[in-house]
Amino acid sequence: MLAGGSRTYHCKTKTLTFAELQAATMAPIDPHSFTDSSHPLATHISLSFFFDFSSSTILGAAALSLPRPHSGPFLLDARSLSISAVFEPHTKNPLPFSLSSPDPIKGQSLTVSLSNHSRFTVIFSTSPSSSALQWLLPPQTFKKTNPFVYTQCQAIHARSIFPCQDTPAARIRYSARLNFPARLSAVMAARQVERRPPAAGEAAGVCEDSLWCGEGRVVEEFVMDQPVPPYLFAFAVGEIGFREVGPRTRVYAEAVPEVLDAAAREFAGTEEMIRVGEGLFGPYEWERFDLLVLPRSFPYGGMENPRMVFLTPTVIKGDASGAQVVAHELAHSWTGNLITNKTNDHFWLNEGFTTYAERRIVEVVQGEGIAALNMGIGWRGLVEEMERFKDNMELTKLKTNQEGVDPDDVYSQVPYEKGFQFLWRIERQIGRPVFDEFLKKYIATFKFQSIDTDMFLNFLKTNVPGIENEIDLALWTEGTGIPPDAMEPVSDIYTKIVSLANEFNLGRMPREDEVADWHGQEWELYLENLPKSVEASQLLDLDARYRLSESKDYEVKVAFLQLAISSKCRDYHNEVEKTLKEVGRMKYLRPLYTALVQGSGMEEEKIFAKRVFSEARECYHPIAQGVVKSILAKHL
Ligand code: BES
Ligand code: ZN
């Protein structure tokens, strides 16, 4: 199907010259990308993907367009891609290229030698271990009849699907042609153009496996008309169905009626949230706001892919509490997707603003009480991160320096909750009405741009004159720890729960009438406020009464199991094992594996953790596999 594969190039001799040239001109614009500051940023990519489920690979062609012709070496990011050819699209003349040796964090640079070219096409294939892709065999899906594949590109994994300038400083439009077995369907974080039979020349000749490829194939075409950073590239292919839940929202999931119905019920209030978001932050610019509920191995709670948010099925609890995750991913439509952090060093601009915006939406649709509870859980999380990073306070800064650092390894609550605190502090200083106007202006000013912390601070100082005399902006953005003018949220329910948790230490269990109206979030806050280690007998009592270890709400169950592990209460190993084998969300894997392997006297737990990981890892997304591997490596 893909042209150019048979030609050979004498890249070896060129490699040295490129390396020399590179050394002379290289000025990376992002610690996580090979993108060079002197090179134009591609503005459009046209992608053709041929999905080979039998080998868990994609055969791909990527045609990149530059805003101006370029001569000399041109650098792209790549990871575990096999490049078979690069050529000029009109003449089909080959262009010399070379791949660097792999960097453990950034992957490889693909250097293409251009001579006044503004377009070129790369022919490549992905590896079965592509860090962005999870290929699920039928038994790993809910329905168990068909395979499934999906992406997770944030932070730096788009490069493992196609070569690109994989930095959020870049914004690209794209078109994509996905070719896959006709009994499956595709969704993308993009607009669907059509589903059609493959044209001549798009034949399935390259695929020999009779199971997935000997049958008919189909092509689905998509277009992303708005310029987006590469980490927002996303698709899923599988047996996917949907339900309509609002005028611009469908819920997609594996085509199982119960799953679709439960998802449709859980997210029925989405349109109301979009309207609230528009009222607070300005027009919704992405036309559609669809949701895709993924298999249980999805490594995040949610991912804000534009036009189509990706969600873990664990948010479907039957009590509409999944709405908080949707509110968060929806809020990214303004903060993150419209205004994007220029590099991961400024990640707080994405997540801190979004956490603030999420809580403003939740406050309107679910009430101040729930919003305050979320703020309380967030505060608790922030305090805990300070403890976790006490030996590396660098990671408690809002503006970070991630040179030589893998963003997946340093993922934490700091950009979310310290970022939230910073914005809340500004709100308290200038008052909500003024802050709301400021936010709207900020979004309108920087939309479709990638910005850094200084650009935000300058905008703040210009629009709120004198703010630097009221708030220590440098301390907030460049200092470590929690600034003294941060604020623990206060609300009746928050205070009540924290004091009940303190009483647990004195041996008092909460009474039935005290917890009668508690949902998952109340329990989560309660458990997170208990000491790290408690008497095993007390834990067993608490569980006998409230069945927390069996909770359907993973936030509650995991908080309880984490406490059980660090309290060396071994009665729960079965439940821990079951949990680690049934979900792949890193929010649950991280604390459970960490609790198992850190600290002294945990020899039995360490062996247990290693065994469970070796049995469960195949079911985790590659990003989650990497994160668990590095947790175990740190302690074993
Ligand atoms: N963008 C993040 C997920 C992410 C962050 C993926 C960094 C890769 C690298 C997403 O918006 C997020 O924050 N998800 C949270 C949801 C929550 C805060 C409601 C999650 O997954 O837990
Ligand atoms: Zn987020």
Side-chain angles (χ1 to χ4, degrees), residues 275-282 357 360-361 364 436 439-440 443:
R275 296 220 176 118
V276 170
E278 291 193 297
L280 288 166
F281 314 119
R360 293 294 304 273
I361 296 173
V364 178
D436 283 357
L439 264 187
K440 277 200 177 134
I443 292 162

Side-chain angles (χ1 to χ4, degrees), residues 33 57 202 251-252 288 295 311 341 402 413 436 519 531 537 587:
S33 172
T57 56
E202 288 178 319
V251 178
Y252 290 83
R288 301 275 319 163
L311 292 168
N341 51 214
Q402 298 192 11
Q413 291 300 301
D436 283 357
H519 300 101
S537 62
K587 188 176 182 191

Side-chain angles (χ1 to χ4, degrees), residues 152 154 300-302 304 328-329 332 347 351 411 416 585:
Q152 168 56 45
Q154 199 180 13
Y300 289 96
E304 66 271 26
H328 179 94
E329 306 315 334
H332 272 303
F347 186 51
E351 297 301 343
Y411 180 84
Y416 292 76
R585 184 175 175 186

Side-chain angles (χ1 to χ4, degrees), residues 545-564:
R545 211 183 286 185
Y546 297 115
R547 302 258 163 244
L548 302 176
S549 66
E550 295 159 27
S551 174
K552 294 231 172 345
D553 187 328
Y554 279 93
E555 310 289 332
V556 176
K557 182 183 184 137
V558 169
F560 181 85
L561 294 176
Q562 186 186 359
L563 189 60

